Amino acid sequence: MGATALRAQDAASETDAGSKSAVTYMPILAQRQFVSNAKAIKATPYADFFTGDLTVSTDFARSLQLGTLDKAETLPPSVAGLNALLDLDHSATKNGYAVLDGSTSYVQSRHVMPGVSAEMLRWWFTWHEVERERYSLWFPHAHIENSVQDPQRLQDRTKTYEQRLYDNPNYVKELVGPTAMELLIRFKDPAKLGFDAKAFSDRGFIASASGIVGPATADDVINSMMIHIARDTDQGMELVSRYWIGAHPDLARFEGAEKAAGMMAQAGYNDSVAEMSAYELAVHDMIEFTHLASFLPALHARFGQE
Amino acid sequence: MGATALRAQDAASETDAGSKSAVTYMPILAQRQFVSNAKAIKATPYADFFTGDLTVSTDFARSLQLGTLDKAETLPPSVAGLNALLDLDHSATKNGYAVLDGSTSYVQSRHVMPGVSAEMLRWWFTWHEVERERYSLWFPHAHIENSVQDPQRLQDRTKTYEQRLYDNPNYVKELVGPTAMELLIRFKDPAKLGFDAKAFSDRGFIASASGIVGPATADDVINSMMIHIARDTDQGMELVSRYWIGAHPDLARFEGAEKAAGMMAQAGYNDSVAEMSAYELAVHDMIEFTHLASFLPALHARFGQE
C-alpha cells in the first residue's frame, strides 16, 4: 500500500473530522523546559495563560504520520513558488513535510483559527518578543529565549506593525523536537521575499510574519525561509505557513545563502537528517499554532493595549 | 514549581478522566515501518484487525510528560521489589519512568482492559510469535520481527501456556521510539524471577509474560528484566508492568548480568541515554498495550481456537 492509498484510507476512517487530541509525546528536554518555564512565568501578569495541557487536531496529527509528501504536492522557495501560494486552495492542500533539493527540510501547514483575527496576530508578533516568558506562552515546553535587536522600535506604537517588526533581527532559542535551535529570524516585507504585493493583497492577505533565517551563531549565513501569511475568513483567521531549511538553490537570491551548503554539510546535514528535522518542525508548527489560537483572543483582550 | 506540584496541577485540570487522544507523534522510521507492515499483512486472514489509528488515554499520555518519577515511587528489580509489586495499590500508583542505579532505564505502568481476560492474554502470547504479521497487529508502526526458538512447542495445544512459552527464547525486533532494537526475551516462571508463588496467586495474579532479556546480538548477556503480570477484575483484566534495562546491581542474580555493565558502557549508555530510553519505552508500552486491549477480545473470538 503506497502513501497515497494510506492517505485515502485515513481520510475514509471513522475519525471525527473535528476531534481533538492531547499531545501524546513530549521529548525529555521539553518536559524539563516546561518545569523551568512554569517557574519563571509565575510572577508575570499573564501567568494565567500558561498551561501544559496542549491539544491538536486529530486529523492534523495523523496527516503528519503518513510519510513525506510527494514532490508535486510541495512548493519550492522560489519567487514563483511564493506566488503560487497565493492562489492555492488551502482548504484542499495537505499538511505535511518533505525533503526538497539541497537536503532541504520542507513543511507546509494551514491553521484556521476561530475567534482570531489578523490584527491579533500582528499584535502578538510585536508583543511576545519583549519578555522571554511571553514567548513561553506560545509553546510552554519548547520555547526558551526570544529578543529583537531593537526592542524600542518593536514597542513603538506610533509606527506600523511592519515598521516595528521588519528588518529588526529576532533571536530565538527553542526546542524543535529533541533539539535546541538558536536562530536569527529576519522578518521582511513579503514583497522583498518575492511576493507580488498586488496579488498578495488581492487574495485578501493582510498580515505577514515571514522572513529569512540563519543560525544565531553564524549571522552571515542564511539557510532558511519561513512564511506565515494570514487573512481573515468567516471561520476565523487563516494562517498559511511554509518552511524551507537547507541549501535549496532557490534561496540563492538572498545574501548569505551561498554559505548554507558548506555549513550544513559540515554539521552533518543530509537527506535523512533533513527528513527527521522536517517532521519535528511539522509537529512543532502544529502544536504551537494550535495552542496560540487557543489563547490569543483572550490574551489580546487583556493585554492588547500594550 | 516542582514535578510534584505540576502533577497536582495536572490532576486538578479540566481533563476528562476517561478522555482518549490519538497518538500525535510517530517517528519517521515508524511511519515507514507502518507502510511496510500494511503491505505485508494484506494477504493474512487477520488483516481486518490492522489499523494505524492508535489512541491512548489522555491522562496516561500526560502522566509521562512530567519528568522522571521520584525514586521513592519506583521499585528495584530485586526479589523484594518484585514481591512488593504484588501488594501495591496499583490504582493509586503512577504510570511513569525513571533512571535507577547502574544507568538503568525504568518504566512502570498499569493498564486496565475492559472486555479482556487473562486467558486472552495467555492466548495472545502463544499466538502472535508464529508470524511476524501477527506481531505487527500489536503496534503496527513499530513491530518488525518476532519468533521463538521452538515454534512447535509454542503451538502445542496439549501443553500448558507456561510449558509452551517459558524458556523458549523469543527473538523480537521492534522500534522503541526512533531506535530499532533486537532483543532475546527469556520468558520464565515468575517464581524463578523471584516472585513468591503463593503470594502471587493469593493476590489473584493468574498470568505472567515476564522474563529476563538481553540483546539478540550477544546471547550470553542479560541486561533487562520485564514484568507483565495480570489478573481479572470487575473492570476487565488488570495488567501490571515493569521494565528495568541496564546494569542494575539487583539483576546480578541472573547469569549473564555480570556482562551488562561493560557492554552498555561500550555502547555509550549513561544516565542521560537511559532517561531518553526510559521515556521512549514508557510511550511504547502505553501505545502497544492500549492498542492490544482495543482488538484482543474480537481477535480472540475469531482465532482463539488456533
Side-chain angles (χ1 to χ4, degrees):
Chain A
M1 203 184 296
T4 306
L6 289 170
R7 280 208 178 81
Q9 185 191 43
D10 189 65
S13 82
E14 290 165 20
T15 311
D16 172 8
S19 96
K20 295 275 180 188
S21 289
V23 170
T24 63
Y25 179 88
M26 196 58 72
I28 296 274
L29 290 179
Q31 297 187 24
R32 287 199 200 138
Q33 189 63 41
F34 177 74
V35 174
S36 157
N37 285 344
K39 267 186 207 149
I41 208 163
K42 275 193 145 180
T44 72
Y46 42 83
D48 291 354
F49 292 90
F50 185 89
T51 172
D53 287 353
L54 307 183
T55 60
V56 295
S57 146
T58 298
D59 282 349
F60 198 137
R62 286 186 171 155
S63 71
L64 303 183
Q65 295 173 20
L66 302 168
T68 52
L69 295 166
D70 294 336
K71 195 170 177 183
E73 300 174 306
T74 69
L75 284 175
S78 62
V79 169
L82 292 189
N83 287 295
L85 204 53
L86 300 177
D87 288 319
L88 269 185
D89 175 4
H90 294 287
S91 69
T93 303
K94 288 170 189 159
N95 296 311
Y97 69 97
V99 178
L100 304 185
D101 295 348
S103 292
T104 296
S105 299
Y106 172 78
V107 172
Q108 63 185 36
S109 76
R110 173 190 188 237
H111 292 264
V112 176
M113 306 183 175
V116 174
S117 66
E119 178 51 35
M120 293 178 196
L121 187 76
R122 271 200 217 97
W123 170 80
W124 172 252
F125 270 97
T126 55
W127 185 81
H128 81 259
E129 299 93 336
V130 175
E131 295 171 349
R132 61 168 297 287
E133 291 80 8
R134 297 181 183 181
Y135 178 56
S136 79
L137 292 172
W138 193 358
F139 194 156
H141 304 73
H143 283 179
I144 306 173
E145 298 285 349
N146 198 306
S147 59
V148 293
Q149 193 178 71
D150 185 347
Q152 269 193 308
R153 170 148 71 90
L154 183 79
Q155 296 173 81
D156 182 349
R157 295 181 67 94
T158 69
K159 294 190 189 326
T160 65
Y161 163 77
E162 290 78 7
Q163 289 167 337
R164 293 162 69 182
L165 185 68
Y166 294 170
D167 303 306
N168 192 352
N170 175 211
Y171 166 78
V172 302
K173 182 172 180 182
E174 61 184 328
L175 290 162
V176 178
T179 310
M181 306 271 194
E182 291 186 87
L183 306 170
L184 207 55
I185 305 172
R186 288 81 161 177
F187 290 108
K188 289 198 174 294
D189 185 325
K192 286 197 188 160
L193 299 173
F195 282 107
D196 180 291
K198 184 171 181 303
F200 192 90
S201 117
D202 284 353
R203 303 307 183 274
F205 288 101
I206 54 171
S208 173
S210 307
I212 52 177
V213 186
T217 47
D219 65 6
D220 56 336
V221 181
I222 291 298
N223 67 349
S224 312
M225 183 161 64
M226 176 179 83
I227 302 294
H228 300 305
I229 57 176
R231 57 188 166 191
D232 292 323
T233 77
D234 291 348
Q235 288 82 47
M237 193 189 81
E238 178 186 36
L239 178 72
V240 171
S241 300
R242 294 294 182 278
Y243 306 79
W244 296 268
I245 303 173
H248 196 290
D250 289 337
L251 293 175
R253 66 186 183 279
F254 301 111
E255 195 188 328
E258 72 283 357
K259 294 177 183 155
M263 195 203 66
M264 297 187 79
Q266 205 172 11
Y269 226 74
N270 55 32
D271 281 3
S272 170
V273 175
E275 188 179 355
M276 278 189 276
S277 302
Y279 177 59
E280 295 296 350
L281 182 58
V283 171
H284 187 98
D285 169 280
M286 169 178 71
I287 295 173
E288 72 179 358
F289 280 108
T290 305
H291 189 54
L292 181 63
S294 75
F295 68 80
L296 186 53
L299 186 79
H300 180 260
R302 191 130 135 226
F303 299 99
Q305 296 316 309
E306 287 187 2
Chain B
M1 202 183 297
T4 305
L6 289 169
R7 280 209 178 82
Q9 183 191 44
D10 190 65
S13 81
E14 291 166 19
T15 310
D16 172 7
S19 95
K20 295 275 180 189
S21 289
V23 171
T24 63
Y25 179 89
M26 197 56 73
I28 296 275
L29 290 179
Q31 297 188 24
R32 287 199 201 138
Q33 189 62 41
F34 177 75
V35 174
S36 158
N37 285 346
K39 267 185 205 149
I41 208 162
K42 275 193 146 183
T44 73
Y46 42 84
D48 292 355
F49 293 89
F50 186 89
T51 173
D53 288 352
L54 308 183
T55 60
V56 295
S57 146
T58 297
D59 282 349
F60 198 137
R62 286 186 171 155
S63 71
L64 303 183
Q65 294 175 19
L66 302 170
T68 52
L69 295 165
D70 293 336
K71 194 170 178 183
E73 300 173 307
T74 70
L75 283 175
S78 62
V79 169
L82 292 189
N83 287 296
L85 204 53
L86 300 177
D87 287 320
L88 268 185
D89 175 3
H90 294 287
S91 69
T93 303
K94 288 170 190 161
N95 296 311
Y97 68 96
V99 178
L100 305 185
D101 294 348
S103 293
T104 295
S105 300
Y106 173 77
V107 173
Q108 63 185 35
S109 76
R110 173 189 187 239
H111 292 265
V112 176
M113 306 183 175
V116 174
S117 67
E119 178 51 34
M120 293 179 197
L121 187 76
R122 272 199 216 98
W123 170 79
W124 172 253
F125 270 96
T126 56
W127 185 81
H128 81 259
E129 298 93 335
V130 176
E131 295 171 348
R132 59 169 298 287
E133 291 80 8
R134 297 181 184 181
Y135 178 55
S136 79
L137 292 173
W138 193 357
F139 194 157
H141 303 74
H143 283 178
I144 306 172
E145 299 286 348
N146 198 306
S147 59
V148 293
Q149 192 176 72
D150 185 347
Q152 270 193 306
R153 170 149 69 92
L154 184 79
Q155 296 172 81
D156 183 349
R157 296 180 67 95
T158 68
K159 294 189 187 328
T160 66
Y161 162 78
E162 289 78 7
Q163 290 167 337
R164 293 161 72 183
L165 185 68
Y166 294 170
D167 302 307
N168 192 352
N170 175 210
Y171 165 77
V172 301
K173 182 173 180 182
E174 62 184 326
L175 290 162
V176 178
T179 310
M181 306 272 194
E182 290 186 86
L183 305 169
L184 207 55
I185 304 172
R186 288 82 160 174
F187 291 108
K188 291 199 172 295
D189 185 325
K192 286 198 188 159
L193 299 174
F195 283 105
D196 179 291
K198 184 170 181 305
F200 192 88
S201 112
D202 284 352
R203 304 306 182 274
F205 288 103
I206 54 171
S208 174
S210 307
I212 51 175
V213 186
T217 49
D219 65 6
D220 56 336
V221 181
I222 292 298
N223 66 349
S224 312
M225 183 160 64
M226 175 179 83
I227 301 296
H228 300 304
I229 56 175
R231 58 187 165 190
D232 292 323
T233 77
D234 292 348
Q235 288 80 48
M237 192 189 81
E238 179 186 36
L239 178 71
V240 171
S241 300
R242 294 293 183 278
Y243 306 79
W244 296 268
I245 304 173
H248 196 289
D250 289 338
L251 294 175
R253 67 186 183 278
F254 301 110
E255 194 188 330
E258 72 283 358
K259 294 178 181 152
M263 196 204 65
M264 297 188 79
Q266 205 172 13
Y269 227 74
N270 55 33
D271 281 2
S272 169
V273 175
E275 188 179 356
M276 279 188 276
S277 302
Y279 177 59
E280 295 296 349
L281 182 58
V283 171
H284 186 98
D285 169 280
M286 169 179 70
I287 294 173
E288 72 178 1
F289 281 107
T290 305
H291 189 54
L292 181 63
S294 76
F295 67 81
L296 185 53
L299 186 80
H300 180 261
R302 192 131 135 226
F303 299 99
Q305 296 316 309
E306 287 187 3

